[in-house]
Amino acid sequence: MEIMEKFEMEVRKLFSHVSFHPLEIKLYSHDISVIPGYLEKMVSSDAEVIIQPESVDDVREILRISGEYSKPIVPRGSATSGYGGVVPLKGGIVVDFSRMNHFEIDEETKTVKSEPGAIWWDIQKEARKKNLSLRIYPTSALSSTVGGWIAQGGLGIGSTMFGGIGENIEEIEVLDFERDKRVKKVRHDNLKYYIGMEGTTGLITSSAIKLMDYKEEIPVAADVKGVMEAVKIVERTKPYSAILMSSEFFRMMNEVKGTDFEEKDILLAVYLEKAGLDGRDAYDLWNDRFYPLRIKKKGPSLVSIESLIPFENLGSYYREIKKEVAADHAVQTYFSKKEANVIVLIPSDERDKRFMKDWKTAFKLLKVGMKLGGRPYATGLYLSYLSRRIILDYDELLKFKKKVDPANLLNPGKIFPEGRVPMLMKIAGLVI
Amino acid sequence: MAKILEDLVDEIYACAQCNYCRICPTFKVERWESVSPKGRLYLLKLSLNNSELDNLMLKDFFKCTTCGLCENVCIVGIPLLKLWEETRNRLTKVKGVLPAHKKLADSIGIYMNPYGEEKELRDGWFPEGIEVSNSNVLYFAGCTASYRAKEIAISTAKILSHFEIEFNYLRKDEICCGSTLLRTGQKDKAEKLVERNIKIWNKNGIETIITTCAGCYRTFALDYPEICEEKGIDFNFEILHLSQFIEREAGKIIKNGMKAKLRGKATYHDPCHLGRHAGVYNEPRELIRASGLDLVEMEHTREDSFCCGAGGGVRAQFRDLSLEIGKLRLKEALELDVDYLISCCPFCKMHLSHSKKVSELEKPEILDISEVILKVINENGGVE
């Protein structure tokens, strides 16, 4: 019997939810991003099978057959990120965690213990029933998963007050290739080996996430003249969450949605219980926080670049955006504690020549941001060539990766550059 | 494939792949991308680039109940409902109709109803002692209430009679509205029914049509005018669901004039065709409150309502899937510990009752709005 046949037979026998269907596989071999076609063909491949585990035992079995057949594992949440973190580099097993979606809220410790496939907003809805609330959650909370955002090392709503997801986790449970097949309970300093590591060092099977007492959110909108004024307000008034939206963003929203938002640069600052800023109430903007991608309709494609820029250099970065981006674009800036995630959105058309031009602009902005002390929001597959430069403790993390995954089967090519992708993407950054 | 999708390309490419449409009832049960709206859009995108859809994936296109919840949450505002129906029409032309859907069409072709029941038995439900007049107000019972949920048609005739509303009923001349065909990619066949129905109505001097079926309502109110415009046929009919008609004609009487009230806790299931598709949300709720029942809302309600699982030809072709969706909807009602789950559609009632039966549940009692109105009339010494 051929090895692949044997592999398929064993997988079908072991798991209740598997698919070897070539079109289903296509659906699970990409993420939210659309990159130029020729590049996509060179940097990614299709998975060989999709497995949807239902339990920790299933995850353990996935690791076992991965090792036995040398099949890479690509963990997948809802694939709402765009760095190729869930795109298979060398085929293998896509592990879709959507069926492992149970969670339990502990009112005493104010934590939620969640499986990786739980949806953030499902947790929030349950937490609210108990007068609790998530401290932070992604802007894609309506569909994105706990495991996916932790593996991404996410920043999002609430990060202005509470920082990144790493600062809001008590403990995670992980399985990897080390000989002991029991789940590892990881806390404190050791969390750095997993958070933001895209599943390259282990598969997260459970997470204990900190909650807070629910407090009424009071969104306030203020007109600002430039990003540095917004920074001053954020530093002075310490909101729970803060987003600066450019006038172009509102113009595009009005165009595609028929709304009548004022077309000005507006800081949306959200406070808990008591407003810290004079301004108009902004429940309309706050309720729209999950929909920054609405403007994609203008495209129909969208090229976006996300850079984390230190507060002090945001003014310079905004000037560079103005200088470098000739195409119609919008900017959304999400403030964290000391840096901000600046997202430049360029409506484009993947069927058109301008798509390449817009990608060239995106790469330029990435470089400019890095010169200003910034870094891309994530590296995933496509930007892994930058990991060594931007990830603190990179060498230590690499050493750890080799220890727990000696055969490099855990999401290969992500974070830790491998094969020709880093070179191709580097060249792409230079030439497109 | 690529050719037949050419003019839909902008919609297909607009998908932001945000996955908010994973709220889809079919996805909630099956959990595979290929049945999610986003997945289907991606498959269409692959088809545009010459990837051929095989039969398995084609089937997944028909697992959609056409409930329209995906369109409600789509962040880029893709008109998904129209897209799914249009895609189905085109897919059936090149790949053929699914077996159960063909059977429905064959039955309609022969018997003028999808159940394969004799035409002669269509008015078998009509209660003795109630008169049909030559009024320009027509009660259109529809296939499901005529053959499978007769209590709804019977209640309606009694209610109209109680309020002394003269109405016409076409008995054996009533034929299928064509909803089933429109939802399963057989628009060409449905068009013949549209023409025929309009001819019958014109011949009988009909001006207002009252339906108790959300599917018939949506089809008459939304699809007929569109098809008539395409075909250059005049369409001058007022279409009302029974809940709208009764709320307008007798809402105040029920609320203020009927002193004996019903007791118990009830929730209302918005049929997709009546609610999300046609925007009728308030009248059924007003009537439930007027009846005296304590109305509470399920987690998914009004625009966000969750499908019963029967629509879009899913009950016919994918029975297990449709029942699993029905169970999810029932679960929401169970969480409220209600006595009654009320809807405005015989197909929803029939399917939710079936889901309840396979779940071996005792509660809640599943009722149509017409039965609720009749109950309150009876409480007040009405028709019985």
Side-chain angles (χ1 to χ4, degrees):
Chain A
M1 194 187 291
E2 293 282 328
I3 288 181
M4 191 58 199
E5 264 179 72
K6 200 176 155 221
F7 172 70
E8 182 170 340
M9 223 161 106
E10 190 167 350
V11 166
R12 287 192 188 281
K13 205 171 130 192
L14 282 170
F15 306 99
S16 308
H17 306 284
V18 298
S19 179
F20 284 89
H21 192 287
L23 283 175
E24 196 76 68
I25 277 170
K26 283 266 178 225
L27 294 175
Y28 285 84
S29 299
H30 69 94
D31 66 8
I32 200 167
S33 63
V34 179
I35 60 171
Y38 79 93
L39 208 53
E40 192 181 3
K41 276 178 201 151
M42 288 195 282
V43 302
S44 60
S45 72
D46 286 347
E48 290 160 80
V49 61
I50 320 300
I51 303 178
Q52 297 177 331
E54 293 181 290
S55 64
V56 173
D57 284 342
D58 278 354
V59 179
R60 201 175 275 118
E61 280 302 297
I62 289 170
L63 282 161
R64 188 186 63 72
I65 56 157
S66 158
E68 196 177 320
Y69 291 91
S70 293
K71 301 285 183 194
I73 290 173
V74 185
R76 185 180 175 96
S78 284
T80 51
S81 185
Y83 295 86
V86 298
V87 175
L89 173 69
K90 305 192 283 189
I93 306 163
V94 164
V95 183
D96 170 20
F97 278 103
S98 64
R99 288 180 197 268
M100 285 179 71
N101 59 2
H102 301 287
F103 60 87
E104 214 167 296
I105 291 170
D106 186 330
E107 289 176 79
E108 241 173 61
T109 59
K110 290 181 190 160
T111 51
V112 55
K113 190 163 188 199
S114 171
E115 288 187 328
I119 305 294
W120 284 101
W121 204 245
D122 289 344
I123 294 177
Q124 177 70 346
K125 281 192 281 186
E126 287 306 308
R128 287 289 302 274
K129 287 178 192 168
K130 299 175 193 300
N131 215 24
L132 294 168
S133 172
L134 286 165
R135 290 157 52 134
I136 69 165
Y137 52 84
T139 53
S140 57
L142 301 184
S143 65
S144 60
T145 64
V146 166
W149 205 45
I150 293 174
Q152 175 94 81
L155 291 167
I157 302 294
S159 287
T160 320
M161 185 174 276
F162 292 107
I165 184 66
E167 294 168 63
N168 293 281
I169 288 184
E170 288 282 354
E171 181 183 91
I172 58 171
E173 293 177 4
V174 179
L175 279 170
D176 60 28
F177 284 107
E178 278 197 306
R179 214 169 281 169
D180 178 3
K181 294 286 186 252
R182 281 177 304 180
V183 289
K184 288 179 181 172
K185 290 182 185 289
V186 182
R187 296 173 75 93
H188 310 301
D189 290 349
N190 288 336
L191 287 169
K192 73 175 180 190
Y193 295 117
Y194 301 96
I195 290 166
M197 296 307 289
E198 315 250 8
T200 53
T201 49
L203 300 176
I204 298 170
T205 56
S206 175
S207 314
I209 302 152
K210 294 174 191 169
L211 302 172
M212 62 175 174
D213 288 323
Y214 172 71
K215 288 171 190 154
E216 191 194 353
E217 294 143 348
I218 302 168
V220 179
D223 300 347
V224 288
K225 288 196 181 76
V227 67
M228 292 317 286
E229 188 185 341
V231 170
K232 275 184 196 158
I233 294 172
V234 168
E235 287 185 325
R236 181 167 50 84
T237 65
K238 303 197 181 319
Y240 161 64
S241 201
I243 311 165
L244 176 63
M245 290 170 264
S246 69
S247 59
E248 294 83 4
F249 177 76
F250 290 112
R251 175 176 46 77
M252 289 183 196
M253 285 288 273
N254 289 342
E255 278 171 33
V256 300
K257 216 185 144 200
T259 45
D260 58 350
F261 286 124
E262 275 190 283
E263 293 175 9
K264 290 176 172 176
D265 292 345
I266 289 173
L267 175 71
L268 168 66
V270 184
Y271 301 88
L272 299 178
E273 283 184 330
K274 195 173 164 221
L277 175 69
D278 286 336
R280 61 184 177 281
D281 77 46
Y283 288 96
D284 53 348
L285 295 179
W286 180 234
N287 290 337
D288 236 30
R289 65 194 180 282
F290 300 120
Y291 309 104
L293 295 181
R294 276 199 209 280
I295 61 171
K296 184 175 184 290
K297 202 178 183 186
K298 261 184 80 69
S301 310
L302 196 64
V303 171
S304 80
I305 190 78
E306 295 178 82
S307 294
L308 297 173
I309 306 290
F311 280 0
E312 63 270 24
N313 289 338
L314 279 168
S316 307
Y317 187 58
Y318 262 63
R319 280 192 291 279
E320 290 293 337
I321 294 172
K322 218 162 217 168
K323 208 168 88 189
E324 297 291 351
V325 189
D328 195 14
H329 66 280
V331 186
Q332 282 223 337
T333 296
Y334 292 79
F335 292 89
S336 187
K337 281 179 175 169
K338 285 181 181 164
E339 58 188 0
N341 185 13
V342 184
I343 308 175
V344 180
L345 301 159
I346 309 170
S348 190
D349 190 338
E350 63 200 87
R351 302 162 295 177
D352 192 288
K353 273 183 192 163
R354 73 178 154 127
F355 193 58
M356 295 288 280
K357 214 172 149 192
D358 293 335
W359 266 98
K360 191 172 180 178
T361 304
F363 272 103
K364 251 190 196 168
L365 280 183
L366 181 67
K367 275 183 224 163
V368 169
M370 288 179 69
K371 273 186 193 156
L372 290 168
R375 60 195 161 98
Y377 176 61
T379 58
L381 170 66
Y382 304 137
L383 300 179
S384 63
Y385 67 95
L386 296 171
S387 294
R388 189 180 285 274
R389 267 178 74 187
I390 63 171
I391 296 177
L392 229 60
D393 305 329
Y394 178 85
D395 290 331
E396 187 190 342
L397 292 169
L398 181 59
K399 202 174 147 196
F400 181 76
K401 159 86 171 164
K402 285 180 176 167
K403 183 181 145 219
V404 295
D405 179 24
N408 190 22
L409 293 171
L410 290 170
N411 214 3
K414 319 300 157 60
I415 307 279
F416 305 104
E418 190 187 328
R420 59 184 186 161
V421 176
M423 184 58 74
L424 283 168
M425 291 307 287
K426 205 169 172 180
I427 293 168
L430 292 170
V431 297
I432 66 170
Chain B
M1 270 297 282
K3 219 164 190 179
I4 63 164
L5 297 169
E6 261 170 13
D7 59 318
L8 304 174
V9 69
D10 282 345
E11 272 90 3
I12 293 167
Y13 272 79
C15 175
Q17 301 188 65
C18 65
N19 258 332
Y20 286 5
C21 54
R22 279 191 169 189
I23 195 162
C24 164
T26 301
F27 179 80
K28 291 260 179 216
V29 171
E30 298 224 328
R31 295 212 165 262
W32 286 103
E33 277 278 290
S34 53
V35 300
S36 81
K38 169 201 149 190
R40 276 184 269 136
L41 281 169
Y42 200 81
L43 286 172
L44 290 177
K45 193 172 168 185
L46 292 175
S47 299
L48 283 168
N49 295 300
N50 295 321
S51 214
E52 199 63 26
L53 293 182
D54 62 12
N55 285 342
L56 194 71
M57 290 291 144
L58 271 173
K59 264 193 173 179
D60 284 349
F61 268 87
F62 290 87
K63 285 182 179 172
C64 160
T65 63
T66 63
C67 76
L69 190 55
C70 52
E71 183 172 318
N72 208 35
V73 298
C74 179
I75 63 171
V76 283
I78 303 172
L80 288 165
L81 195 51
K82 219 172 174 57
L83 185 73
W84 302 140
E85 287 191 0
E86 195 49 49
T87 311
R88 285 179 171 197
N89 279 325
R90 297 176 191 200
L91 288 175
T92 51
K93 283 208 173 76
V94 290
K95 302 277 185 181
V97 179
L98 292 182
H101 297 163
K102 188 178 178 302
K103 202 174 154 195
L104 294 174
D106 290 346
S107 288
I108 292 170
I110 300 166
Y111 304 105
M112 291 296 139
N113 68 76
Y115 297 109
E117 297 283 358
E118 290 297 333
K119 282 186 231 174
E120 294 305 308
L121 300 176
R122 189 159 188 119
D123 62 351
W125 61 269
F126 199 83
E128 277 180 25
I130 291 178
E131 280 189 21
V132 168
S133 80
N134 286 327
S135 165
N136 57 15
V137 176
L138 172 74
Y139 171 48
F140 187 95
C143 303
T144 307
S146 298
Y147 295 109
R148 293 286 183 273
K150 295 178 187 177
E151 66 283 2
I152 294 174
I154 295 167
S155 301
T156 303
K158 287 182 175 175
I159 294 165
L160 294 173
S161 168
H162 174 79
F163 289 116
E164 296 177 349
I165 294 162
E166 287 194 8
F167 69 98
N168 201 341
Y169 168 58
L170 297 173
R171 293 185 178 273
K172 294 172 185 70
D173 284 342
E174 183 183 288
I175 60 167
C176 175
C177 69
S179 176
T180 312
L181 300 170
L182 286 167
R183 312 298 154 233
T184 55
Q186 304 180 80
K187 190 181 173 194
D188 46 349
K189 290 192 173 101
E191 285 172 349
K192 288 175 190 150
L193 296 174
V194 176
E195 288 179 38
R196 215 169 136 178
N197 264 318
I198 286 174
K199 246 183 216 168
I200 298 170
W201 298 341
N202 282 332
K203 195 178 129 198
N204 286 279
I206 303 302
E207 289 175 12
T208 297
I209 297 160
I210 302 167
T211 76
T212 37
C213 174
C216 297
Y217 177 84
R218 186 237 133 101
T219 306
F220 294 154
L222 302 181
D223 297 303
Y224 272 45
E226 204 178 293
I227 292 169
C228 286
E229 201 184 329
E230 283 166 21
K231 296 194 161 292
I233 301 169
D234 284 340
F235 184 87
N236 297 311
F237 304 97
E238 181 190 29
I239 310 295
L240 292 169
H241 186 270
L242 178 75
S243 59
Q244 295 175 298
F245 185 74
I246 294 298
E247 169 61 12
R248 189 175 81 182
E249 301 293 322
K252 280 184 186 153
I253 302 172
I254 297 171
K255 190 176 175 186
N256 304 322
M258 297 189 170
K259 299 295 176 199
K261 298 291 182 191
L262 304 182
R263 281 182 192 172
K265 196 168 153 189
T267 192
Y268 176 64
H269 165 75
D270 291 279
C272 307
H273 287 137
L274 190 65
R276 201 160 32 239
H277 293 201
V280 180
Y281 300 109
N282 295 331
E283 292 89 339
R285 288 178 166 80
E286 287 302 321
L287 290 171
I288 293 168
R289 285 193 197 98
S291 76
L293 291 171
D294 175 20
L295 178 68
V296 289
E297 297 286 355
M298 285 183 274
E299 183 186 345
H300 295 97
T301 182
R302 299 178 71 94
E303 291 87 349
D304 299 324
S305 183
F306 199 80
C307 182
C308 73
V314 173
R315 183 176 157 86
Q317 181 68 45
F318 306 101
R319 184 61 57 91
D320 291 347
L321 165 64
S322 72
L323 289 170
E324 288 305 314
I325 297 173
K327 286 181 197 170
L328 288 178
R329 187 52 165 163
L330 275 177
K331 200 175 153 217
E332 289 193 15
L334 284 174
E335 278 165 12
L336 298 171
D337 191 28
V338 288
D339 304 297
Y340 304 104
L341 171 58
I342 301 165
S343 191
C344 266
C345 174
F347 207 46
C348 292
K349 184 189 171 188
M350 186 171 85
H351 187 68
L352 288 168
S353 302
H354 191 176
S355 302
K356 183 183 152 188
K357 193 178 167 191
V358 295
S359 307
E360 297 178 352
L361 295 170
E362 283 181 19
K363 264 174 74 175
E365 187 177 348
I366 298 170
L367 293 175
D368 184 78
I369 191 74
S370 56
E371 296 171 281
V372 175
I373 301 167
L374 187 64
K375 263 179 192 273
V376 77
I377 291 172
N378 288 338
E379 283 290 314
N380 287 276
V383 279
E384 286 299 338

